[in-house]
Amino acid sequence: MNKEELVIAGFRDLFNKLVWLNKSKMEDSLKGYKSSEVHCIEYIGRNEDSNGTKLVESFYMTSGAISKMTKKLIKKGIIESYQKPDNKKEIYFRLTPQGKAIYEIHEELHKEFQERDKAVFEQVTEEQFDSMLSFVEKYSRHLDAEIKKLGADIKSESI
Amino acid sequence: MNKEELVIAGFRDLFNKLVWLNKSKMEDSLKGYKSSEVHCIEYIGRNEDSNGTKLVESFYMTSGAISKMTKKLIKKGIIESYQKPDNKKEIYFRLTPQGKAIYEIHEELHKEFQERDKAVFEQVTEEQFDSMLSFVEKYSRHLDAEIKKLGADIKSESI
DNA sequence: ATAGTTTTCCTTCCTTGTCAACAAAAATAA
DNA sequence: TTATTTTTGTTGACAAGGAAGGAAAACTAT
């Protein structure tokens, strides 16, 4: 493996670990709420006027999955939907008081995770941070362009 | 968001994009084979004497899922199982000729992805690589320790 | 305005993964 | 040796996510 592969593989493994570990802790603290649900609550709590399409885009999930999840969360009384007077199509979501309570607990957990991993991040210098951030940005932009290309290809195929 | 969060969020988004994009390309080239199956073929092709437990550990999936997937792959004639004379419990897997063909195609794709992203990685200096790798290693070791703790907690709870 | 087309948004069916309970072999202890 | 514990893999019920399809809104050109 060359360094390029090492970096990618390393980060992949790191993320799998992080997701797995936080998921465990999360489902321990927020018993009864799945990590995907909490993730959704987090997003709706942070972003005013979230709707299905926004969730689809930022979760990289299908609209079917989103539709079901939001439906379930409404049934559970965690979120509620509303519409705007001048648009009869789009359906927006916001947290109910119960949802807000979960949101707060989640924020606390988040801080706990930061505390847990503080030792690692304290060793990272400003330069390292900036270097990683610039890498992420460049790579991300590059992939955006590739995704756009793919979209164009698909469209031209279907004609 | 502080830099710590930015890095984590940035990498998460980056990975989602990468997985999504490569998955699309992959399922385009390897029609009929799902990315999870190809992932499994890749692992078995690379690692001599893979068994269920190894797959569970490196995929962060449950043994139930692995059991089903391997069974399906055997049924499709992509992998085959074998045992060792001195152990009647462990079941190992290897690729069939058909599986090896898929493996080769996958390797080609992998190279194609590297080529696609070359422009990004060419801009990364040796120092940046080393810095990122050292970060990944440190963080990974830290999480390993935390996971170990969690395991101990679970065990002590159940007593 | 209105008829046709395209786009956007949302819901229903099928595949896949998880969880729980279990069985059998291997390792360890008594 | 015999008994207990640990490891390894399997099966069935259930939940989560993706593909496909349908309905409403928005756009376009008469």
Side-chain angles (χ1 to χ4, degrees):
Chain A
M1 275 214 264
N2 54 31
K3 288 201 172 176
E4 190 179 322
E5 288 178 289
L6 275 177
V7 168
I8 294 295
F11 271 111
R12 181 164 62 183
D13 194 53
L14 181 62
F15 262 84
N16 284 339
K17 275 180 198 167
L18 197 58
V19 167
W20 188 88
L21 183 59
N22 289 358
K23 197 181 139 197
S24 304
K25 288 266 185 189
M26 200 99 81
E27 295 185 344
D28 210 39
S29 288
L30 288 166
K31 280 199 200 305
Y33 303 100
K34 297 283 158 59
S35 77
S36 59
E37 295 176 358
V38 176
H39 192 192
C40 191
I41 292 166
E42 183 189 2
Y43 186 91
I44 293 175
R46 282 205 185 141
N47 301 82
E48 192 102 351
D49 290 343
S50 322
N51 66 346
T53 306
K54 295 261 185 65
L55 292 171
V56 166
E57 279 168 5
S58 61
F59 289 13
Y60 293 87
M61 286 196 337
T62 59
S63 53
I66 297 295
S67 172
K68 274 197 296 196
M69 181 156 58
T70 52
K71 216 171 178 181
K72 201 174 62 179
L73 289 176
I74 289 172
K75 205 172 174 182
K76 283 192 175 187
I78 295 167
I79 65 173
E80 58 190 10
S81 64
Y82 62 96
Q83 291 191 298
K84 298 197 174 183
D86 55 341
N87 189 326
K88 290 178 185 169
K89 191 168 66 163
E90 295 180 7
I91 297 172
Y92 301 92
F93 304 109
R94 65 179 158 228
L95 299 180
T96 62
Q98 190 193 340
K100 277 178 191 160
I102 299 166
Y103 181 80
E104 291 306 324
I105 296 173
H106 173 265
E107 289 290 286
E108 280 309 309
L109 266 176
H110 208 73
K111 280 179 200 157
E112 203 182 285
F113 294 154
Q114 289 205 355
E115 199 60 32
R116 179 196 67 198
D117 300 339
K118 214 170 94 184
V120 174
F121 284 94
E122 273 173 355
Q123 292 180 48
V124 180
T125 64
E126 276 299 299
E127 289 74 35
Q128 275 187 303
F129 268 126
D130 293 338
S131 150
M132 288 197 278
L133 281 175
S134 107
F135 170 75
V136 167
E137 263 174 52
K138 271 184 206 155
Y139 202 176
S140 199
R141 271 203 300 274
H142 174 73
L143 292 181
D144 283 338
E146 289 293 328
I147 287 174
K148 212 169 174 182
K149 267 196 219 169
L150 194 73
D153 286 357
I154 289 169
K155 287 215 170 159
S156 65
E157 265 175 34
S158 66
I159 290 172
Chain B
M1 273 211 264
N2 55 29
K3 289 203 172 175
E4 191 178 322
E5 289 178 288
L6 275 177
V7 167
I8 295 295
F11 271 111
R12 180 163 64 183
D13 193 54
L14 182 62
F15 262 83
N16 285 338
K17 276 180 197 167
L18 197 59
V19 167
W20 187 87
L21 185 60
N22 289 357
K23 198 181 139 196
S24 304
K25 288 265 186 189
M26 200 97 83
E27 295 186 343
D28 210 39
S29 288
L30 288 165
K31 278 198 201 306
Y33 304 100
K34 298 283 160 57
S35 77
S36 59
E37 295 176 357
V38 175
H39 192 193
C40 192
I41 292 166
E42 182 188 2
Y43 187 91
I44 293 174
R46 280 204 184 140
N47 301 84
E48 192 102 352
D49 290 343
S50 323
N51 66 345
T53 307
K54 296 262 185 66
L55 291 171
V56 166
E57 280 167 4
S58 61
F59 288 13
Y60 295 87
M61 288 200 325
T62 58
S63 54
I66 296 295
S67 174
K68 281 179 198 172
M69 179 157 57
T70 51
K71 216 171 178 181
K72 200 176 64 180
L73 289 176
I74 289 172
K75 207 172 175 184
K76 283 192 175 187
I78 295 167
I79 64 172
E80 59 190 10
S81 64
Y82 62 97
Q83 290 192 298
K84 298 197 174 182
D86 55 340
N87 189 323
K88 291 177 185 172
K89 190 168 63 162
E90 297 181 3
I91 297 172
Y92 301 92
F93 303 108
R94 67 180 157 228
L95 300 180
T96 62
Q98 190 193 340
K100 278 178 192 161
I102 300 165
Y103 181 81
E104 291 307 323
I105 296 173
H106 174 265
E107 289 291 286
E108 280 310 308
L109 267 176
H110 208 73
K111 279 179 200 158
E112 203 181 287
F113 294 154
Q114 289 205 354
E115 199 61 31
R116 179 195 67 198
D117 299 339
K118 213 169 96 182
V120 173
F121 284 94
E122 273 173 356
Q123 293 180 48
V124 179
T125 64
E126 277 299 298
E127 288 74 36
Q128 274 187 302
F129 269 126
D130 293 338
S131 149
M132 288 197 280
L133 281 174
S134 107
F135 170 75
V136 167
E137 264 175 52
K138 269 183 208 155
Y139 202 176
S140 200
R141 270 204 300 273
H142 175 71
L143 292 181
D144 284 338
E146 289 293 329
I147 287 174
K148 212 169 173 179
K149 268 194 218 169
L150 193 73
D153 287 355
I154 290 170
K155 288 215 170 159
S156 64
E157 264 174 35
S158 67
I159 289 170

